[in-house]
Amino acid sequence: MSSSTDLGRPDPDPAVAPTTDGRPVSDRGDTVCVIGAGASGLTAVKNLREAGFGVDCYERETGVGGAWNWRHDRSPVYASTHLISSRPFTQFPDFPMPDDWPDYPHHAQLLSYFERYADHFDLRQHVWFGTEVVRVEPVEGDRWDVTTRSTGGYGPERTSRYAAVVLANGHNWSPKLPRYEGLEQFRGEVMHASSYKDPAQLRGKRVLVVGAGNTGCDIAVEAAQQASRCWHSTRRGYWYAPKYVFGRPADQVNDTMLALRVPLRVRQWLYHWTLRLTVGDLTRFGLPRPDHRVYETHPIANSQLVYYVGHGEVTPVPDVARFGDRTVELTDGREIDPDLVVFATGYLPRFEFLEGRVLGDADGSGRPRLWLNAFAAGHPTLAVVGLVQPDSGIFPISHWQSVLFARLLTLRTTRPDRAAAFGRRVAAGLGERYSGKVKDSTRHWFEVGHADYLRALQRALHDLEGK
């Protein structure tokens, strides 16, 4: 809903004491505020409602879906985007995707899935569409003042006081832009992958794609088909995983091995053995040798990049050293002459409405310091849902994160001793990792192994319930 009068929403409760700067505050009692109506926000609304809480969800756009609604300004989705995790490992545990959908659904199917999810659980009545959050401030009693306004800054600001807050505003919308000498003087076209929407943007051009994440590889593959020339620049070597192994989606095969508790070294050996049987040594194509063992970071899920590299349609090149007027110098001394540079260099988490210290970002790096990537020390009524990058689907993780938070809020009233013990566990567990050895770069900040992480969530839920 887009206003307080839509669908009969009751007016806020009477104003409580104003904020320090004199703004009036409307008390929402035990209602929980959820920020964002994407996948993580919707499942948070659903699970909090099922636990008996009132919920106000604020969504800056005019529809549900978050990043998967490519009509939204902040959506990173492009025309050909499909899931990189297979359907059974991506769907919510209590709302399966249709059986006749492909293994890797298209983004339009994902949006329809979220719309049906919202309708099935009657969630739209709890969402304020076209409303952005300006400030979230902790106040006495572990409560929160949330200031909102119409998206775009139109109309007056409004502050409401909530019993708890869920941050589900996503982490793939604020572009991470690299800095290179001479970039400002480069006369070619430069864009971040967040602005890439359609292969027509590449057609007939000489394209340099910088970055080897899943998006960078997808764009390089599309440039191989549409551009007159494509270079793909990577800073270091990566492992490339096909989407299908032994006739099944790769994540399903990997999950079977995890369920069987196959040791990491054995899984690494099996991966190398499969690679040798299929494409062999990738360095012969000019791709750099990885500086880490497979599964120490998530492999790139792309079945087509190696194909186009092998056919000469994508030329692997090292990192960019500097930009010239119309050329780009690489770290190996070569010069290339692209007329379009696409930076597929990822995104940084941004909680622009909240002071970084609340989430443990003491050094200003933008990296939250949380337990389970969800809970901040000293703030038992605050949770971040969906701030993970798993090696499988994220939606089941968001579901169980919000179930855990809803249970915690309930026990704050019924069993405050258990809720207090949970708070101590949060403080003790800050910085835990759930993916073994990983690279300490912004790209890998939120990587988790889904099996390890879900087991950690299950332990936390059992401990909270005294099992």
Side-chain angles (χ1 to χ4, degrees), residues 103-401:
D103 291 329
Y104 298 100
H106 185 258
H107 70 80
Q109 293 174 300
L110 265 292
L111 178 57
S112 71
Y113 174 70
F114 296 132
E115 290 173 338
R116 290 202 302 269
Y117 181 87
D119 292 337
H120 179 78
F121 293 107
D122 198 18
L123 304 180
R124 295 179 195 267
Q125 64 172 311
H126 307 290
V127 182
W128 295 67
F129 292 108
T131 304
E132 61 183 356
V133 174
V134 179
R135 285 182 298 277
V136 175
E137 304 161 295
V139 295
E140 188 177 357
D142 293 324
R143 293 170 67 79
W144 300 87
D145 283 353
V146 178
T147 301
T148 60
R149 67 185 178 196
S150 295
T151 300
Y154 303 106
E157 294 184 356
R158 174 176 175 175
T159 301
S160 302
R161 184 158 296 173
Y162 289 96
V165 171
V166 173
L167 308 181
N169 60 309
H171 61 280
N172 287 324
W173 59 267
S174 180
K176 177 188 175 185
L177 291 167
R179 296 180 179 178
Y180 288 108
E181 179 186 341
L183 179 58
E184 295 79 7
Q185 286 74 46
F186 180 64
R187 294 191 180 184
E189 182 182 357
V190 176
M191 71 163 67
H192 187 270
S194 58
S195 300
Y196 176 74
K197 295 300 176 183
D198 190 270
Q201 294 171 267
L202 311 172
R203 193 164 298 149
K205 297 180 180 179
R206 301 169 61 82
V207 178
L208 169 64
V209 180
V210 179
N214 290 298
T215 297
C217 291
D218 281 351
I219 296 175
V221 165
E222 297 197 346
Q225 302 169 63
Q226 301 290 336
S228 63
R229 183 74 190 272
C230 175
W231 298 274
H232 188 202
S233 168
T234 59
R235 184 171 297 177
R236 57 188 180 88
Y238 294 87
W239 298 103
Y240 298 92
K243 282 192 166 184
Y244 286 92
V245 179
F246 305 123
R248 294 176 56 199
D251 61 348
Q252 297 181 23
V253 175
N254 187 51
D255 194 75
T256 299
M257 290 193 289
L258 290 173
L260 294 173
R261 301 296 179 97
V262 175
L264 175 62
R265 288 298 178 91
V266 176
R267 289 191 289 121
Q268 290 172 328
W269 179 85
L270 286 171
Y271 180 95
H272 288 292
W273 176 74
T274 303
L275 195 66
R276 285 197 301 271
L277 285 179
T278 52
V279 295
D281 184 3
L282 295 181
T283 60
R284 69 188 179 91
F285 295 120
L287 290 165
R289 188 178 303 278
D291 61 356
H292 57 285
R293 294 179 63 84
V294 66
Y295 298 130
E296 289 182 353
T297 65
H298 296 170
I300 306 301
N302 193 298
S303 299
Q304 296 180 289
L305 181 71
V306 174
Y307 173 89
Y308 282 104
V309 170
H311 284 71
E313 303 296 337
V314 174
T315 302
V317 296
D319 195 13
V320 172
R322 60 188 58 83
F323 281 79
D325 186 38
R326 297 186 182 277
T327 60
V328 176
E329 182 181 339
L330 305 173
T331 53
D332 63 1
R334 281 183 288 171
E335 278 195 353
I336 58 177
D337 56 346
D339 44 35
L340 169 62
V341 178
V342 182
F343 287 121
T345 45
Y347 300 84
L348 291 172
R350 283 189 64 193
F351 303 92
E352 51 197 346
F353 43 73
L354 184 68
E355 289 189 14
R357 61 178 177 78
V358 175
L359 296 179
D361 176 21
D363 59 3
S365 66
R367 182 178 186 174
R369 192 161 180 263
L370 308 169
W371 183 52
L372 292 172
N373 286 38
F375 300 100
H379 297 287
T381 56
L382 177 70
V384 184
V385 173
L387 190 62
V388 290
Q389 185 179 331
D391 55 356
S392 191
I394 189 175
F395 309 150
I397 288 177
S398 296
H399 168 87
W400 289 112
Q401 285 177 327

Side-chain angles (χ1 to χ4, degrees), residues 81-97:
T81 301
H82 288 72
L83 283 176
I84 59 171
S85 55
S86 65
R87 172 170 48 86
F89 287 89
T90 306
Q91 63 196 9
F92 291 118
D94 54 357
F95 195 75
M97 295 181 186

Side-chain angles (χ1 to χ4, degrees), residues 43-44 46-48 50-51 93-94 375 385 396-410 461 464-465:
T43 196
K46 193 271 295 185
N47 287 312
L48 287 163
E50 288 184 350
D94 54 357
F375 300 100
V385 173
I397 288 177
S398 296
H399 168 87
W400 289 112
Q401 285 177 327
S402 56
V403 167
L404 177 61
F405 187 54
R407 188 62 180 148
L408 171 64
L409 295 181
T410 299
L461 191 57
L464 191 59
E465 296 177 341

